[in-house]
Amino acid sequence: MQSDDYLDNEAIKNLPHGVKLSWGIVKQQKRGPKGELSIKQIVEAAVAIADEDGLSAVSMNRVAQSLGYSAMSLYRYITSKEDLLILMQDAVCDIPIPPEGTVTEWRESMREYVRASILIFREHPWFGDIPIMSIPTTPNNLQIVDWVLRSMRDLPLNDYEKMSNILLLSSYARSAGIIQRDMERAVQAGSSPGAVSGFEYTAALKQLVKPERFPDLAPIVVSGAYTGENESENTVGDDFDFGLERILDGIAHYLEHKKLS
């Protein structure tokens, strides 16, 4: 793609500056010495800082210092922190995607998509700290959308139904990813795995949660299911996998209903 082809396009001009940077369709400002820096280097440095110290640690000054340059050097490439955040989000969405032609049953393909999405939140804990401001518009993020659409290519769904399914799956992946990320953060901050899961509080909750006040919760606490006391006896698998399978069951039921209608 040649950026010059898009510089005077009115529709392109309406895109946020960071999005245009992600597509490489921004008129280049005058640079410093040839080979001084690149947008890719700057974004990689920012991602490394966020992975290590969290999103709040990312600033143009901090990123510049990590590269051995002044903040003014960075502004010749990326004009604001907001643009940098957009580029960071897109960078970590550059994940391995099965090549076109890979034959995968639609449920398994959707599972792969959700698991890959959850992994982004776990590997880059700051990712979920950036508020959602818009639909996906950057290239790597859109590549993921295109991937999950592939799983529905042969299903009897219209475009609206396909995008609604993506929103459903993405919402679940985001929720599950942030919950797992927060639990991992708690352990890293010093909490014990038993405290995070609630297992350490099982005995206390069995005394406090009485059926007179909590008629439906009390028997679940007594059984140990609330805190995972008898996790080895769980026959339905991981909680998050269980939820995902019920979503896929719902899509399957919807498909069957469409066939009969």
Side-chain angles (χ1 to χ4, degrees):
M1 177 190 304
Q2 295 296 321
S3 60
D4 291 347
D5 298 340
Y6 296 92
L7 295 179
D8 296 321
N9 185 301
E10 287 302 320
I12 296 296
K13 285 181 179 179
N14 289 331
L15 287 171
H17 188 70
V19 174
K20 288 186 281 189
L21 281 172
S22 72
W23 287 96
I25 49 176
V26 172
K27 193 170 185 177
Q28 302 296 305
Q29 298 182 25
K30 186 176 180 180
R31 298 285 187 249
K34 186 175 181 180
E36 182 188 60
L37 272 176
S38 70
I39 290 177
K40 186 174 185 292
Q41 285 176 296
I42 295 169
V43 173
E44 287 177 347
V47 168
I49 291 170
D51 286 348
E52 183 68 25
D53 297 324
L55 194 63
S56 61
V58 177
S59 67
M60 300 298 274
N61 279 331
R62 173 80 182 272
V63 174
Q65 290 173 5
S66 73
L67 292 167
Y69 291 93
S70 68
M72 289 306 299
S73 297
L74 267 62
Y75 284 115
R76 291 200 295 265
Y77 297 82
I78 301 174
T79 57
S80 70
K81 182 178 177 180
E82 289 72 22
D83 292 346
L84 179 59
L85 294 179
I86 290 173
L87 294 170
M88 291 169 62
Q89 284 179 302
D90 192 58
V92 299
C93 286
D94 185 12
I95 62 175
I97 291 176
E100 180 70 37
T102 302
V103 179
T104 308
E105 186 263 340
W106 68 265
R107 287 182 68 123
E108 181 56 29
S109 183
M110 288 183 180
R111 287 188 195 102
E112 291 174 355
Y113 162 70
V114 170
R115 290 167 183 162
S117 297
I118 289 174
L119 193 60
I120 293 174
F121 287 94
R122 297 182 66 182
E123 291 186 340
H124 306 284
W126 52 269
F127 188 79
D129 294 334
I130 301 178
I132 295 175
M133 304 294 289
S134 153
I135 60 170
T137 52
T138 55
N140 289 327
N141 210 329
L142 288 174
Q143 197 70 57
I144 296 177
V145 174
D146 186 75
W147 169 33
V148 70
L149 279 170
R150 188 198 309 172
S151 68
M152 293 180 274
R153 183 181 293 170
D154 299 322
L155 300 182
L157 299 169
N158 61 38
D159 292 347
Y160 171 81
E161 290 167 329
K162 289 177 180 179
M163 293 309 301
S164 293
N165 279 331
I166 289 178
L167 178 59
L168 174 63
L169 294 167
S170 299
S171 298
Y172 186 75
R174 183 178 182 86
S175 174
I178 288 176
I179 290 172
Q180 292 181 45
R181 175 205 71 178
D182 288 351
M183 293 174 72
E184 289 167 357
R185 277 179 169 176
V187 172
Q188 291 168 2
S191 295
S192 68
V196 173
S197 69
F199 178 75
E200 291 183 6
Y201 309 131
T202 297
L205 288 174
K206 285 181 178 179
Q207 296 182 48
L208 295 170
V209 180
K210 299 299 184 183
E212 295 80 18
R213 183 175 181 182
F214 306 98
D216 295 294
L217 177 59
I220 292 177
V221 170
V222 170
S223 74
Y226 185 71
T227 56
E229 181 182 12
N230 303 315
E231 202 67 45
S232 62
E233 298 177 12
N234 182 7
T235 59
V236 297
D238 179 86
D239 290 339
F240 296 105
D241 286 340
F242 178 80
L244 175 57
E245 291 308 309
R246 301 298 70 77
I247 290 174
L248 297 178
D249 286 346
I251 295 174
H253 177 76
Y254 182 77
L255 292 171
E256 188 62 29
H257 175 75
K258 287 203 72 174
K259 289 180 184 178
L260 297 174
S261 61

